[in-house]
Amino acid sequence: MYKIRQGVVESIIIASRNVHPLEFISMLGGRDRVIEELVVVPAHFGESHSSYRLDLVPFDEQIIGTVHSHPSVYNHPSNADLDSFERFGKVHIIISYPYTLNTLRAFDNYGKTMKLQVIE
Ligand SMILES: [Zn+2]
């Protein structure tokens, strides 16, 4: 199980709503199993798939996972998602439309749902 700060959840919700109907994509920073911050990295925001500019992603040991939005109500990792999950960290959040805490889920590198606890 991972924990995530309330403020990070709020940032994810706001950012996803702001870029809708495009996908929001970012990385997650933290330590141990606590997600402490969004690490904004250069990325292409697409309508059906976003990707990181790998050439511009800094090496950062604080990066423990990824987050991206799905502009649809479908909240499961795509095959492309699974490819990028393996490359960055160990916890991956997908938030789907309409972007609330209820449509936010966390997955491991294999696309299996993980428990995520929101903390102050
Ligand atoms: Zn996706």
Side-chain angles (χ1 to χ4, degrees):
M1 184 181 75
Y2 274 80
K3 295 178 180 177
I4 184 168
R5 299 278 176 206
Q6 173 77 36
V8 179
V9 171
E10 287 164 6
S11 297
I12 291 170
I13 289 172
I14 290 167
S16 299
R17 288 179 177 170
N18 280 347
V19 303
H20 182 84
L22 300 183
E23 279 189 20
F24 168 69
I25 191 168
S26 181
M27 292 196 179
L28 300 171
R31 54 179 57 232
D32 301 324
R33 292 169 84 87
V34 182
I35 299 164
E36 302 272 7
E37 61 180 352
L38 286 181
V39 180
V40 177
V41 297
H44 296 292
F45 293 88
E47 284 185 23
S48 61
H49 182 62
S50 299
S51 58
Y52 303 104
R53 285 284 306 276
L54 283 178
D55 51 323
L56 296 177
V57 173
F59 173 77
D60 187 342
E61 61 189 18
Q62 301 273 73
I63 290 174
I64 60 172
T66 68
V67 55
H68 73 281
S69 65
H70 281 180
S72 68
V73 295
Y74 185 71
N75 190 338
H76 289 280
S78 65
N79 286 336
D81 289 342
L82 291 174
D83 282 345
S84 82
F85 284 4
E86 282 180 7
R87 296 158 91 157
F88 306 104
K90 300 215 179 310
V91 56
H92 308 279
I93 291 174
I94 295 177
I95 186 169
S96 59
Y97 185 81
Y99 315 120
T100 67
L101 188 55
N102 290 332
T103 67
L104 183 151
R105 297 170 76 193
F107 301 89
D108 68 13
N109 283 7
Y110 305 99
K112 244 188 93 190
T113 310
M114 280 200 296
K115 272 201 166 172
L116 190 64
Q117 183 188 358
V118 180
I119 57 174
E120 291 287 307

